[in-house]
């Protein structure tokens, strides 16, 4: 394979695992090192002003980050990738494309931090948000007016695993000339590629499945339109929420096993969902792989498998009992975040979704006795034993 075969465009022709391991990465031109070096430098030598090798200052460009961005783009079948110092940094950059008076249509069970940045930061800059249950895509059409500029969705949603029909919303946004952004964090690029289904921008909290080892906080945007890329790159460089080379290296390394990890997350997730479905302590379970999940058919159409994220509502448990159960796991760790190799349990009301007012979150089913499991890739027997003892 020569160098050219690994560029972002030719990487689009490769299959997923090959892209995960090779896209954006070439043997280091100075030493032949197979692994992309950590270019731990803030600045670059210029022979004379402007005479440089394409790198000037690491807020805007860094070779380790560039390799990662090309790899991220390839994973989402996109031409361009931009890495940010967090998922929220990536969201912030997208919202800065808007101007006062613009309106956004979005889901009503978003990640709490997305809800918070929309309502507590960008609403103050004159941007109006409509929070809707977008498992009915026609609600988008019903709420579009001449100020609407952008539709932002998550699917599966966090934490109630609703599925939003990406293709159906993509048709409406195209027709109405709106920017369509999909937060693909829960599915990962292994399970779902929103650009292929009509999205303009895919956003990821790279912190989760893509990084995969709970050791890096990072975000990303992937897209095809060059003018939009230039606008976003301007914001990325001007505002400066870009990740450093060490974090970029760690994520490049994590990505190399994304396909292997996702297979194991999905298989463990399936077995745990089936175990919990009829458990006497479980009142409700949210996992899109069940045939009686209200959007199972759409999940089957747009996802390659159903993932390792599961939420349960505990039967007859008040907040105290919910806390007791959440604290009694031994293999699962009670913690924020998701998507790492280790299993985590989260209480959204007091953790990830604490910034959403009670009435709002309860409308979306985020109740006090809901727990969210991020099923890791440990041995399934140990995970099942742990759940049995915690729920006993
Ligand atoms: C679905 C989703 N989107 C965005 C974010 C924000 O990403 P980060 O924590 O990397 O800033 C998160 C974090 O939990 C998330 O779960």
């Amino acid at each position: 394979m020569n160098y050219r075969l690994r560029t972002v465009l030719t990487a689009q022709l490769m299959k997923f695992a090959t892209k995960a391991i090779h896209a954006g990465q070439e043997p280091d031109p100075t030493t032949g090192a197979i692994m992309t070096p950590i270019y731990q430098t803030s600045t670059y030598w210029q022979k004379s002003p402007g005479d440089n090798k394409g790198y000037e200052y690491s807020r805007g460009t860094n070779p380790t980050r560039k390799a990662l961005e090309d790899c991220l783009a390839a994973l989402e079948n996109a031409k361009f990738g931009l890495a940010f110092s967090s998922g929220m940094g990536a969201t912030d950059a997208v919202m800065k494309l808007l101007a006062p008076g613009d309106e956004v249509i979005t889901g009503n069970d978003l990640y709490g931090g997305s809800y918070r940045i929309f309502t507590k930061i960008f609403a103050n800059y004159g941007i109006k948000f409509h929070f809707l249950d977008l498992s009915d895509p026609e609600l988008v059409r019903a709420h579009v007016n001449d100020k609407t500029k952008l539709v932002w969705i998550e699917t599966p949603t966090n934490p109630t695993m609703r599925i939003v029909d990406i293709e159906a919303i993509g048709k409406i946004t195209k027709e109405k000339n709106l920017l369509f952004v999909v937060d693909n964090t829960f599915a990962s690029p292994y399970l779902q590629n929103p650009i292929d289904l009509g999205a303009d921008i895919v956003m990821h909290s790279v912190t989760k499945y893509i990084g995969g080892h709970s050791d890096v906080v990072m975000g990303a945007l992937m897209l095809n339109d060059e003018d939009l890329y230039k606008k976003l790159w301007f914001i990325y460089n001007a505002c400066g929420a870009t990740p450093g080379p060490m974090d970029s290296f760690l994520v490049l390394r994590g990505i190399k096993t994304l396909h292997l990890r996702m297979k194991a997350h999905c298989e463990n997730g399936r077995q745990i969902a089936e175990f919990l479905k009829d458990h006497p302590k479980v009142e409700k379970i949210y996992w899109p792989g069940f045939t009686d999940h209200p959007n199972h058919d759409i999940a089957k159409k747009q996802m390659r498998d159903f993932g390792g994220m599961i939420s349960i509502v505990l039967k007859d448990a008040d907040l105290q009992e919910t806390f007791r159960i959440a604290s009694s796991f031994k293999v699962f760790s009670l913690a924020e975040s998701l998507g790492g190799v280790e299993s985590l349990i989260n209480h959204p009301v007091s953790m990830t979704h604490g910034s959403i007012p009670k009435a709002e979150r309860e409308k979306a089913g985020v109740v006090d006795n809901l727990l969210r499991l991020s099923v890791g890739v440990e041995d399934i027997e140990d995970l099942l034993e742990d759940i049995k003892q915690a729920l006993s």
Side-chain angles (χ1 to χ4, degrees), residues 115 119-120 353-364 366:
Y115 180 87
T119 56
K120 297 279 194 302
H353 290 65
S355 51
I356 305 179
K358 190 173 166 71
E360 281 298 311
R361 63 172 152 74
E362 288 195 342
K363 251 193 264 167
V366 187

Side-chain angles (χ1 to χ4, degrees), residues 242-253:
T242 53
M246 181 67 198
D247 282 358
S248 301
F249 170 83
L250 284 170
V251 172
L252 265 177
R253 186 163 86 153

Side-chain angles (χ1 to χ4, degrees), residues 86-89 91 111 114 154 158 183 185-186 203 205-208 217-219 337-338 352 372:
S86 67
M88 293 320 301
T91 302
Y111 165 60
S114 305
E154 256 177 51
N158 178 3
D183 179 341
T185 300
F186 265 42
M203 177 266 166
S205 170
V206 172
T207 317
K208 312 295 169 8
V217 173
M218 193 186 283
S337 203
L338 61 110
T352 45
R372 190 190 75 186

Side-chain angles (χ1 to χ4, degrees), residues 122-297:
F122 285 101
N124 292 339
Y125 289 88
I127 294 164
K128 186 168 171 191
F129 294 86
H130 300 268
F131 296 95
L132 307 168
D133 177 359
L134 294 181
S135 40
D136 177 6
E138 285 307 311
L139 284 184
V140 172
R141 200 189 300 279
H143 284 78
V144 173
N145 62 45
D146 56 1
K147 295 182 181 141
T148 314
K149 291 286 164 14
L150 186 145
V151 174
W152 178 288
I153 68 163
E154 256 177 51
T155 181
T157 64
N158 178 3
T160 56
M161 314 298 157
R162 269 189 244 158
I163 300 294
V164 180
D165 188 334
I166 301 173
E167 203 171 11
I169 294 193
K171 281 194 185 129
I172 301 171
T173 53
K174 220 105 296 125
E175 191 187 303
K176 303 282 181 189
N177 203 19
L178 309 173
L179 205 56
F180 179 26
V181 189
V182 178
D183 179 341
N184 201 26
T185 300
F186 265 42
S188 89
Y190 179 77
L191 294 181
Q192 176 174 282
N193 296 118
I195 287 177
D196 295 346
L197 300 168
D200 298 303
I201 303 176
V202 172
M203 177 266 166
H204 277 278
S205 170
V206 172
T207 317
K208 312 295 169 8
Y209 286 108
I210 293 182
H213 295 75
S214 305
D215 51 6
V216 175
V217 173
M218 193 186 283
L221 301 175
M222 295 81 145
L223 66 158
N224 271 330
D225 183 279
E226 189 165 359
D227 289 338
L228 188 56
Y229 169 71
K230 285 181 180 158
K231 283 185 195 157
L232 284 164
W233 191 86
F234 180 84
I235 294 168
Y236 152 109
N237 182 48
C239 299
T242 53
M246 181 67 198
D247 282 358
S248 301
F249 170 83
L250 284 170
V251 172
L252 265 177
R253 186 163 86 153
I255 286 176
K256 289 179 193 294
T257 56
L258 179 59
H259 52 296
L260 303 172
R261 288 186 280 111
M262 288 310 299
K263 279 181 199 154
H265 284 296
C266 291
E267 184 46 38
N268 281 355
R270 173 175 291 108
Q271 291 199 44
I272 289 177
E274 277 161 9
F275 172 77
L276 287 169
K277 191 161 202 247
D278 298 316
H279 195 286
K281 289 266 174 73
V282 175
E283 183 184 306
K284 229 186 236 171
I285 178 159
Y286 299 105
W287 183 65
F290 290 129
T291 51
D292 59 356
H293 180 289
N295 318 114
H296 177 71
D297 288 347

